[in-house]
Amino acid sequence: MSAQHDSSSRYAALRRALVTTRVMDRGVSDPRVLRALMAVPRHEFVPPEYRELAYVDRPLPLGQGQTISQPSIVGLMTELALSGRPRRALDVGTGSGYQAAVLAELGCEVYSLEIRRALAQAAQARLALLGYGERVRVRCDDGAHGWPEHAPFDLIVVAAAPERVPEALVEQLAPGGRLVLPVGRHRQDLVLVLREASGRLRQRLVEPVRFVPLVGPDAAGSSPDAR
């Protein structure tokens, strides 16, 4: 599925320059990921006052203490999570919906969790408007619990940092599946967890990162849906 036509040639040129320089400079080389980043109009996922910074490789505020991750880290995490032809993806920390849109561009059926109700509702509406509504489902809930009724997932990407890898997310990985997330409180590292076809788990550290913390319902000030 493609996003709605990007009528702004200027934004399209800025997006291409970003992907072919900063994203590729970070080591992202999978052509599927590069095409997805080229296709998703990041300027539609940031607040209007930050639209002119949409194609600068930096995180941007979304409100409620949350941010949209910088494009190069989205590209890196997506590439790390890919293995074969993933069909079902879990996106923890919907935020603006940008990561979910990138996963949808890869052909995934995406289940996205956001604990802040206002962000979840806005992201769902935005994704529908941009043509991703049939591939992405957004739910207001605690991301650390995953979405067990739709597990197992071929890939799981987490955009906020727990203090340790949530066991529930590991359990929802399909054989051959990959989980990518930042882990830590004061020092954070990007971690890749792989479930081999045999069921054996492997884990490796990728690089130091900095993300907002993964919070529960009390900290978020919301009442997640229980459906």
Side-chain angles (χ1 to χ4, degrees):
M1 174 180 289
S2 298
Q4 287 184 341
H5 177 64
D6 183 1
S7 60
S8 171
S9 59
R10 183 171 68 90
Y11 281 136
L14 289 171
R15 187 159 61 251
R16 178 172 293 276
L18 172 69
V19 172
T20 56
T21 56
R22 298 305 296 267
V23 175
M24 294 182 70
D25 285 349
R26 193 154 196 158
V28 179
S29 60
D30 191 313
R32 298 171 295 173
V33 176
L34 298 176
R35 284 195 298 267
L37 293 172
M38 291 278 197
V40 178
R42 189 173 187 253
H43 62 278
E44 298 286 359
F45 291 86
V46 303
E49 61 268 29
Y50 295 108
R51 187 159 286 186
E52 293 306 307
L53 298 174
Y55 298 108
V56 177
D57 191 31
R58 55 174 282 190
L60 295 171
L62 293 176
Q64 300 191 43
Q66 303 302 292
T67 59
I68 178 174
S69 298
Q70 64 193 89
S72 64
I73 194 69
V74 171
L76 175 62
M77 292 175 71
T78 303
E79 183 170 86
L80 287 168
L82 278 179
S83 178
R85 293 187 177 183
R87 293 173 296 176
R88 184 167 295 189
L90 179 65
D91 170 41
V92 176
T94 311
S96 68
Y98 178 65
Q99 174 72 79
V102 171
L103 295 173
E105 285 286 348
L106 292 167
C108 294
E109 179 182 353
V110 184
Y111 295 85
S112 189
L113 294 167
E114 171 57 56
I115 201 164
R116 290 168 172 79
R117 187 174 301 280
L119 289 180
Q121 292 174 341
Q124 182 73 83
R126 182 179 301 111
L127 288 161
L129 182 65
L130 293 171
Y132 296 106
E134 292 184 3
R135 279 204 176 269
V136 182
R137 291 180 60 182
V138 179
R139 169 169 153 176
C140 179
D141 211 338
D142 186 348
H145 297 158
W147 203 329
E149 56 265 45
H150 293 291
F153 297 100
D154 300 304
L155 67 87
I156 302 175
V157 178
V158 183
E163 292 189 27
R164 60 189 62 84
V165 178
E167 186 61 33
L169 298 184
V170 175
E171 291 175 354
Q172 291 172 39
L173 271 180
R178 298 185 175 201
L179 162 63
V180 180
L181 75 169
V183 178
R185 184 175 181 183
H186 302 296
R187 170 191 166 85
Q188 297 177 3
D189 289 295
L190 191 62
V191 174
L192 171 62
V193 180
L194 305 93
R195 183 182 294 281
E196 297 180 348
S198 65
R200 178 174 175 265
L201 293 170
R202 291 192 293 124
Q203 179 174 309
R204 72 177 174 92
L205 301 183
V206 179
E207 64 178 55
V209 289
R210 181 176 294 277
F211 279 75
V212 297
L214 185 68
V215 298
D218 293 340
S222 66
S223 299
D225 296 336
R227 65 180 186 278

